[in-house]
Amino acid sequence: MKVVIIGGGVMGMMQARELSQRGWEVVLVDKGICGGEASWAGGGIISPLYPWRYSDPVTALASWSQGYYPNLIQCLEAESGVDPEITRHGLLMLEVKDREQALLWSETRQPAWLEQIPATALYEYEPLLRPGVAEALWMPHICSIRNPRLLRALRMILEHEPLVTIVEENAFAGMEREGESERVTAITTVKDRRIEADRFIFCSGAWTSSLLPEAGLKVAPVKGQMILFDAVPGIVNRIVLNQGRYVIPRRDGRIVAGSTLEYTEFDKSTTAEAKETLADLAIDMFPRLAEYPISHHWSGLRPGSPAGVPYIGLVPGYRNVYVNAGHFRNGLVLAPASVRLMSSILCGDKPPVNPGPYDPGARVI
Ligand SMILES: Cc1cc2nc3c(=O)[nH]c(=O)nc-3n(C[C@H](O)[C@H](O)[C@H](O)COP(=O)(O)OP(=O)(O)OC[C@H]3O[C@@H](n4cnc5c(N)ncnc54)[C@H](O)[C@@H]3O)c2cc1C
């Protein structure tokens, strides 16, 4: 069986690895360099932010992936020699207004995943947090990964996999159908390549609706800006979330702080205003961060979708064209389960979660 995957972000590359492991021939096509868009720009938190506010379909994919991630990262490191630095430092949430809902969610859905802790415990975890915080919500199991490293590992594995061909800097341009039928025989690219296959999967993130305009999928870009403090280990020890903004410590002491939520179409420019706001919020949480330089400032386009529920399955109007896109703010955490679900749809084996809520055909009005 041969498949063309359009888009080489975390979704496309993980999908390519899984299908090649099952003996499929894979051609992975990207308009730029694989792993150069949202999957690179993200923070790498292996959890939705405020997870109780999400619907069951997002929680189902997140829970499956969270269980699978440590093993996956070990495999990727063994296969590639690149360590994506999965770190279980836990997530602290300050000033949560709906904490009763959070505690109830934990009790009924994820026992022992979330607890309320007093100031004494909080300052033991984070001695350099600004004084005066009375309590926090604490999720000790939450991990982060260094997503650029995860992407490097995936890329390296695919480069050495004989069943995989990577076609970069060559955007998808169109599809050729078999006569008038719903069956696609090949895609074409802007640099005049024609690639035949049995199946086609769009893992094209924020660009998905623009590539499949007739399919009725509602995927739209949502810009997020991030900054990086060149700090040292010990300034921030955990992922800390306050008023929707977060700081994530890397093992070398650098701190990622994010992120904005901007509806500006495909504009990826960064702004001085966002940089200042992100820096102010991070420094407000950890005043010592003011002593360290901001060495990077970047943005990425999240694939926004209704309620953040991705589209995974057959695209309406086609017999052999599929989509795995629209993961909004959670594509890094949701990727393993989403990719496994897509593989199970293609191969006819047991899905990791109920496929119904993600079925594009059932969601298109
Ligand atoms: C600032 C920010 C912070 C985030 N933080 C987190 C986090 O902490 N945790 C988390 O789980 N998620 C996070 N996310 C969300 C996550 O990054 C995304 O949901 C995820 O990366 C989507 O992966 P993807 O592979 O679908 O998309 P992408 O990584 O964007 O990949 C899509 C690919 O499709 C390619 N493509 C587009 N058009 C074409 C074409 N015409 N032809 C060929 N290829 C094409 C693109 O070049 C790109 O490589 C964050 C996102 C941002 C922006």
Side-chain angles (χ1 to χ4, degrees):
M1 199 62 83
K2 181 175 174 185
V3 61
V4 173
I5 298 175
I6 298 109
V10 68
M11 227 56 69
M13 285 204 280
M14 268 195 202
Q15 195 73 69
R17 174 176 171 271
E18 265 217 20
L19 290 174
S20 64
Q21 283 177 338
R22 289 167 186 243
W24 287 44
E25 191 186 337
V26 180
V27 182
L28 180 61
V29 180
D30 201 286
K31 66 175 175 52
I33 299 295
C34 288
E37 294 288 350
S39 304
W40 178 88
I45 304 172
I46 301 305
S47 171
L49 302 176
Y50 308 110
W52 60 92
R53 295 179 191 167
Y54 282 91
S55 63
D56 287 349
V58 173
T59 305
L61 291 175
S63 303
W64 194 93
S65 294
Q66 284 164 331
Y68 187 64
Y69 243 110
N71 183 42
L72 172 67
I73 294 295
Q74 265 192 354
C75 293
L76 296 181
E77 188 182 351
E79 290 168 39
S80 68
V82 178
D83 177 7
E85 292 191 5
I86 188 162
T87 309
R88 199 175 109 171
H89 33 202
L91 168 66
L92 284 164
M93 290 167 279
L94 316 180
E95 295 177 30
V96 178
K97 292 200 172 60
D98 54 349
R99 69 174 181 280
E100 299 310 325
Q101 279 99 310
L103 293 165
L104 185 67
W105 171 85
S106 171
E107 224 176 277
T108 51
R109 298 298 308 267
Q110 303 259 38
W113 264 66
L114 186 150
E115 59 180 311
Q116 187 164 330
I117 57 167
T120 43
L122 172 59
Y123 285 99
E124 236 167 72
Y125 289 140
E126 292 297 351
L128 299 181
L129 181 70
R130 77 167 133 79
V133 183
E135 61 185 26
L137 290 182
W138 170 227
M139 296 184 76
H141 301 291
I142 303 304
C143 302
S144 72
I145 47 146
R146 271 179 102 149
N147 36 307
R149 291 181 186 216
L150 171 75
L151 298 167
R152 212 184 312 149
L154 284 166
R155 170 69 207 248
M156 201 162 279
I157 292 163
L158 297 179
E159 261 175 26
H160 291 97
E161 170 51 63
L163 284 171
V164 176
T165 306
I166 300 175
V167 178
E168 290 183 317
E169 298 188 311
N170 198 352
F172 162 87
M175 290 188 274
E176 290 180 6
R177 289 181 188 246
E178 195 175 66
E180 297 295 300
S181 82
E182 294 185 335
R183 210 183 127 69
V184 168
T185 50
I187 64 148
T188 53
T189 69
V190 291
K191 289 185 184 163
D192 289 335
R193 268 191 80 164
R194 182 177 176 279
I195 310 169
E196 289 184 5
D198 308 295
R199 305 273 189 274
F200 302 84
I201 312 174
F202 282 82
C203 294
S204 35
W207 292 264
T208 303
S209 284
S210 64
L211 303 186
L212 289 166
E214 74 293 352
L217 311 175
K218 296 192 178 91
V219 182
V222 183
K223 180 163 75 175
Q225 298 191 46
M226 305 272 268
I227 57 172
L228 183 76
F229 288 91
D230 264 349
V232 295
I235 304 291
V236 182
N237 304 311
R238 323 272 162 188
I239 306 163
V240 185
L241 177 60
N242 189 26
Q243 297 170 31
R245 303 288 160 90
Y246 49 80
V247 288
I248 311 167
R250 301 305 194 204
R251 286 187 194 168
D252 58 10
R254 291 178 180 187
I255 308 296
V256 177
S259 59
T260 63
L261 213 53
E262 300 168 67
Y263 295 81
T264 49
E265 297 290 322
F266 289 97
D267 164 30
K268 272 206 317 184
S269 58
T270 54
T271 61
E273 190 193 345
K275 183 179 181 182
E276 199 181 315
T277 310
L278 292 173
D280 286 350
L281 283 159
I283 291 166
D284 178 58
M285 277 193 262
F286 289 89
R288 284 275 304 276
L289 280 177
E291 296 167 22
Y292 297 94
I294 295 168
S295 60
H296 294 285
H297 176 203
W298 67 93
S299 79
L301 299 175
R302 305 177 186 93
S305 58
V309 177
Y311 294 94
I312 307 171
L314 192 63
V315 177
Y318 296 95
R319 265 178 49 200
N320 59 341
V321 178
Y322 299 80
V323 62
N324 186 359
H327 299 75
F328 193 31
R329 305 191 79 172
N330 299 308
L332 292 160
V333 55
L334 303 185
S338 303
V339 162
R340 182 60 55 87
L341 175 58
M342 186 74 255
S343 301
S344 74
I345 291 168
L346 289 169
C347 301
D349 46 39
K350 190 172 178 285
V353 297
N354 168 19
Y358 320 97
D359 177 6
R363 296 172 64 191
V364 168
I365 303 153

